[in-house]
Amino acid sequence: MMLAVQKSSLHGTVAAPPSKSHTHRAFILAALAKGESVVSSPLFGEDTCATLDAVASLGASVQRRGEDVVICGGSLSAPGKTIDCKNSGTSIRILAGVAAQLAGTTSFTGDASLCSRPMKPLLDALAELGVTVTAAENGCAPFSVTGPASGSSVHIRGDISSQFISALLIGAPLGGRDLQIHLTTPLTSRPYVEMTIAAMRTCGVTVVTTEDGFLVPADQSYRPAPVRVGGDFSSAAFLFAAGALAGDVCVTNLDPADPQGDKMFIGLLESLGASVTHNPDGSVRVGSGALHAADVSLSDAPDLFPIAAVLATQCSGTTRLYGAAHLRFKESDRIKSTAQFLRDMGADITETDDGCIIRGPSPLHGAKVTTFGDHRIMMAAAVAGLIADGTTVIDDPGCCAVSYPAFVADMQALGADMRYL
């Protein structure tokens, strides 16, 4: 199946889907808390369902009640079967940190894409903590960890994936001792770590920020806490960009106080010249405006890169997106795959090591787009197709189910000419 997109004018209001990042953390922390937790309005996407299946394999009781999930946790153990995290990097990384604190061996695998993504810095850190790790020489999945960990101090890079640090933080209270995490490089995507720390605090565990990393003090345990998952600013960015480029779109179900780093996209739109209205109910309306170029660091919000690049093609002047070298290790090499589809659509774009340079505005035209199974590439290309002459044909549109299963339906409801082939 493919998706055909035609030039369109969008108008209307749509609710942002639930946050993928918050859902992962809510499911995992509920599984670690002794007792019953209710997670309300989570995202039921492919990645988060992989996490839900995994915590059930580790021994948590999981029940779905309508749009809520009830999890009874606190007694996890190494399972007798391999945990398949499918395409979810968040699942495999954070759960490896949890499994390292359990007695026995836990094995992990995933699809071909996940099995090519970096794991070695995390696995090396777990080995430093006394965990036995069995993996290929490149440190990618499939792998197994045999715990429990015995160390109280660990060193890890902070510039590959914030998920490595979240994995160590979330697993730490299970060890019953202080855990000092020393970062050997600057931390990228810091808002995701702050999101982890905030979620841990909600469940009764405190993390101390130190000069070179983090300290999780001993004698702490997770307690059940009701969680209502708010809207996803990462997914909302595609809706906002569609409004800025092709009409007028209002997005609801967003909390301005949410620590998600990708909410910076709203400020980016304002700085580039889009029309942005902040409504009293927390919703945000974005419409077209005279867009102009800027230099934009995405070090704290790398997931915005593909859609920010689409936006930049319509900015007057030269836009530089930088600070996101770790994008080359996502579901696809997102710098390369973004540059490829935009170049095929007529954009003047040059890759750099940590981003790209785009000279605009460029008239875009329809093209055949390869997503490489990457949900953010698929959605960014679909938005680009809304302003392109001719037909844009996107392969594997179903990959958006990883983070935003209703993306195409929501876009159609706003007036997008999108149809499956």
Side-chain angles (χ1 to χ4, degrees), residues 199-239:
M200 293 171 66
R201 187 184 309 117
T202 296
C203 293
V205 172
T206 299
V207 175
V208 179
T209 300
T210 63
E211 184 176 341
D212 68 342
F214 304 95
L215 167 68
V216 184
D219 301 322
Q220 299 190 86
S221 60
Y222 293 108
R223 61 170 182 258
V227 174
R228 176 169 291 277
V229 177
D232 194 317
F233 282 88
S234 301
S235 295
F238 298 96
L239 301 169

Side-chain angles (χ1 to χ4, degrees), residues 51-115:
T51 288
L52 201 57
D53 290 343
V55 298
S57 295
L58 288 166
S61 170
V62 175
Q63 290 184 306
R64 183 168 173 176
R65 297 179 186 169
E67 293 304 307
D68 297 344
V69 173
V70 180
I71 298 176
C72 189
S75 300
L76 304 189
S77 60
K81 63 178 182 179
T82 298
I83 293 177
D84 183 356
C85 293
K86 298 182 173 62
N87 188 239
S88 178
T90 305
S91 304
I92 201 168
R93 288 166 173 164
I94 294 182
L95 289 170
V98 169
Q101 300 290 350
L102 304 177
T105 299
T106 305
S107 298
F108 293 90
T109 192
D111 65 13
S113 173
L114 187 61
C115 288

Side-chain angles (χ1 to χ4, degrees), residues 281-294:
D281 62 358
S283 64
V284 178
R285 181 176 294 277
V286 177
S288 59
L291 301 179
H292 51 81

Side-chain angles (χ1 to χ4, degrees), residues 268-274 289-294 311-312 314-319:
L268 174 60
L269 286 165
E270 291 176 310
S271 68
L272 295 180
L291 301 179
H292 51 81
L311 196 67
Q314 303 308 302
C315 290
S316 178
T318 300
T319 297

